[in-house]
């Protein structure tokens, strides 16, 4: 049934969790061969390394090479790690707190702050909050962060030690950093000598259109600007193969890779090289990854289109409402008139549809305008997405209507 | 060829690395089914969890249950994690430094020290050294650490926040903590309210004889003594199935598990549940693990016997030389007369045999008597172990002979 009012939507008794950017089961099924061919992948690497045993803390050589091909950096500058780039990001900041970045002093000894383009990724913010790293929001635009604000703050404030960046199809705005933004981030003077761009290239391969966008190579840009150690690049295969069992990558300057090796050497005797071997066996090379990503796109594009179609039908006439049309990545941002995002989420929840909490895309969970909603259409079936997208739009309309009705009463 | 002199040993031109306690390829082959049956293990858990996707940060329920059966604690008190208990130990201490143990303040705010029974595990010590946690050695006996020394120090010194313990077949002494030692560790008053026993139960299942030893359940002992949060238990399947691709476990009181969950929630969306599912599929239960460990024992026992036989033949007549006869675990400790351990390692290296560096079993790598050698006979073939063990003994004899010859010349 196609709901046309919030009441109809509620009557459907939907039970759906759309709060997180998870791949759908049919996407995971695309990499079935990782399981089916595990025996064929075996345990011996190209060079005869027994992948079952300890060792190789920076990862299996051919896994590092695959990461290098995907990130377009030399293999020696890539670490192939466990199943989660989030872990690498957390650990990089925990190491910075405890030991300092390469050549720097431990961040725990002073005040540490990072710039957070908003809206942004809630898990980035949760790491900072847990570690006691102060977060300073900066506005995000379609071509990247507001560079004048960024340049002024990093130039003047030595406690600003870093900045979160999702350069391509940013979570959740879909922003694509321009060549000029990347150049300025690489070149800008910073008061902190150990300033780092925390470059989460999560959606580098996750195009939603026939035009694969790309952002300039940040390590090369930083090196060219005389700041070779400025960027730490993070990426993973979690949304390429298996969300919980992928391979994560860290890339950086030779000095940063040595720093990572030193910090992590006491922590691990090596990653799961069998999983890395299976991934190389199945994906083979960059072309193999791109073929797989085309299959993901075929599954994901209709879901995004369904959301955009529902919003267009039900929200185009609502003043103050707008949404992003992402070219890639996992999210759509929906902006309500000020003060209605939390109410919309609550109304959707009353109807059985769990959305990402309002405010999640902002440091400390505080959206100053209470107007941003992160829509994650990847996990549910296309049929569910069609209904849910209408439900979101109808919840927003209902929030607006009931507020307008309430205002005179409380005035 | 069987060498009878150091010169003969050197002539063999051996090229062998015995520095680490790695399983041999034939041990890894015992768990071949982990790879061969990966497709059969599939991706759905007993309860229908899609193990390919994100989630379940404390681990797959049946993996937690397997860990609980092995550790003899309730499943709710077990976390099933990634491929390495070393990572869990590092992270527990890093979390303590940054956030404090459950109910405590961050260790970085003051001085933190841990007691280290010696000889002990070098990777424990490397974690502490990297994190700036001071290490205080205490003597290890056959039945566990010197308890009078331990009790006095933890009672009087509030900066002593913890103690490394390997209760069964301790690395590298083979010590087996007695019931009385475990009771006293659980009951002793500590000046630090957030004192923790860092209970590395690495060799719990790794018997070398037909008598499987066991140590008392430390969580129960701590709870009975009124210190329910005192112990953090670490274990893994790395030396059960695949060294680099096992499943690690953390066990603790409900409060400590909640603490772990809170600290690690910002770090990870979940462990590799497919690997956990494969392990449960292959091992099934405690009985399955014990059958597998019996097969390990059949491979390992002759190697340990070969070392002990060589030492008996070549070193029994040397005053001041002794060695341990382990009932389980991965190591033999060989004690040279004072001042000869480093020289013995150097002589072995000259002959092509790499041993664990002398001093490695002591905090900061400093063996005050330069007399301890850690022998790791598991990885090489039995034929190689036979030769290498003679080589070690002959290197020690040669070190002794050349020192005695040298003394008059330098006097």
């Amino acid at each position: 049934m196609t709901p046309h009012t919030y009441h109809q939507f509620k009557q459907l008794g939907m039970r759906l969790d759309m709060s997180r950017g998870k791949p759908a089961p049919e996407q995971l099924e695309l990499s079935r061969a990782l399981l089916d061919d595990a025996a064929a992948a075996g345990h011996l690497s190209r060079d005869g390394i027994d992948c079952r045993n300890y060792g190789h803390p920076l990862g299996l050589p051919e896994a590092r090479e695959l990461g290098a091909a995907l990130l377009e950096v030399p293999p020696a500058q890539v670490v192939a790690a466990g199943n989660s780039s989030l872990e690498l990001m957390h650990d990089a900041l925990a190491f910075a707190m405890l030991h300092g970045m390469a050549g720097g002093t431990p961040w725990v000894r002073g005040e540490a702050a990072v710039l957070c383009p908003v809206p942004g990724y809630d898990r980035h913010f949760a790491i900072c909050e847990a570690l006691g790293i102060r977060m300073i929001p900066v506005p995000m635009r379609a071509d990247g962060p507001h560079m004048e604000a960024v340049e002024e703050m990093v130039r003047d404030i030595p406690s600003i030690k870093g900045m979160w960046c999702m350069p391509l199809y940013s979570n959740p705005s879909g922003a694509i950093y321009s060549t000029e933004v990347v150049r300025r981030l690489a070149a800008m003077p910073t008061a902190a000598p150990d300033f780092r761009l925390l470059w989460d290239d999560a959606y580098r391969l996750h195009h939603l259109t026939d035009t694969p966008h790309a952002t300039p190579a940040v390590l090369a840009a930083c090196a060219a600007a005389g700041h070779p150690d400025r960027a730490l690049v993070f990426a993973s295969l979690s949304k390429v193969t298996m969300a919980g069992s992928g391979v994560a990558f860290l890339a950086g300057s030779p000095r940063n890779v040595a720093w990572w090796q030193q910090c992590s050497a006491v922590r691990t005797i090596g990653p799961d090289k069998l999983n890395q071997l299976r991934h190389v066996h199945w994906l083979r090379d960059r072309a193999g990854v791109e073929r797989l990503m085309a299959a993901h796109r075929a599954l994901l594009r209709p879901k995004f289109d369904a959301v955009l179609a529902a919003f267009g039908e039900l929200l185009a006439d609502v003043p103050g409402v707008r949404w992003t049309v992402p070219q890639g990545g996992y999210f759509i941002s929906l902006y309500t008139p000020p003060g209605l995002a939390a109410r919309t989420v609550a109304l959707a929840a009353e109807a059985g549809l769990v959305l990402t909490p309002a405010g999640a895309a902002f440091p400390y969970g505080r959206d100053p305008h209470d107007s941003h909603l992160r829509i994650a259409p990847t996990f549910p079936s296309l049929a569910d997405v069609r209904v849910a997208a209408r439900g979101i739009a109808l919840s927003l309309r209902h929030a607006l209507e009931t507020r307008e009705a309430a205002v005179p009463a409380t005035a």
Side-chain angles (χ1 to χ4, degrees), chain A residues 160-289:
Chain A
I160 298 181
K161 299 286 200 176
M163 175 173 173
W164 287 110
C165 297
M166 298 190 77
L168 189 60
Y169 312 137
S170 203
N171 173 356
S173 71
I176 300 173
Y177 284 31
S178 70
T179 299
E180 178 63 5
V181 162
V182 174
R183 191 197 61 74
R184 287 171 73 173
L185 288 168
M188 63 190 181
T190 64
D194 54 351
F195 179 89
R196 290 291 183 275
L197 297 170
L198 305 163
W199 202 260
D200 183 1
D201 217 348
Y203 300 107
R204 183 180 182 82
L205 307 159
H206 302 66
H207 316 294
L208 283 169
T209 74
D210 295 333
T211 306
H213 294 272
T215 52
V218 69
L219 293 182
C222 288
H227 304 125
D229 303 323
R230 175 166 291 182
L232 293 174
V233 177
F234 304 95
S236 91
L237 300 175
S238 288
K239 292 192 180 83
V240 173
T241 58
M242 305 294 189
S245 309
V247 176
F249 301 108
L250 167 79
S253 66
R255 189 185 192 204
N256 281 335
V257 170
W259 167 82
W260 177 265
Q261 182 164 21
Q262 187 184 358
C263 293
S264 61
V266 300
R267 187 179 176 271
T268 182
I269 316 177
D272 182 343
K273 295 185 295 298
L274 287 173
N275 195 40
Q276 296 186 349
L277 187 67
R278 282 191 292 268
H279 272 79
V280 174
H281 181 85
W282 154 232
L283 297 169
R284 305 240 169 240
D285 52 22
R286 185 175 172 125
V289 172

Side-chain angles (χ1 to χ4, degrees), chain A residues 13 15 35 62 71 83 90 179-180 194 219 241 257-258 273 294 312 354 364 377 381 394 397 402 410:
Chain A
R15 288 292 167 269
L35 301 179
E62 47 265 62
L71 296 172
N83 71 322
H90 172 280
T179 299
E180 178 63 5
D194 54 351
L219 293 182
T241 58
V257 170
K273 295 185 295 298
V354 179
Y364 311 104
S381 69
L394 294 167
R397 287 192 76 107
T402 49
T410 60

Side-chain angles (χ1 to χ4, degrees), chain A residues 64-89:
Chain A
R64 298 176 70 187
E65 288 168 22
L66 177 62
L70 298 177
L71 296 172
E72 298 175 70
V73 297
Q77 289 179 236
V78 177
V79 179
N83 71 322
S84 157
S85 59
L86 186 70
E87 295 182 3
L88 302 181
M89 292 182 247

Side-chain angles (χ1 to χ4, degrees), chain A residues 348-360:
Chain A
E350 279 177 36
L353 174 61
V354 179
L355 301 176
T356 306

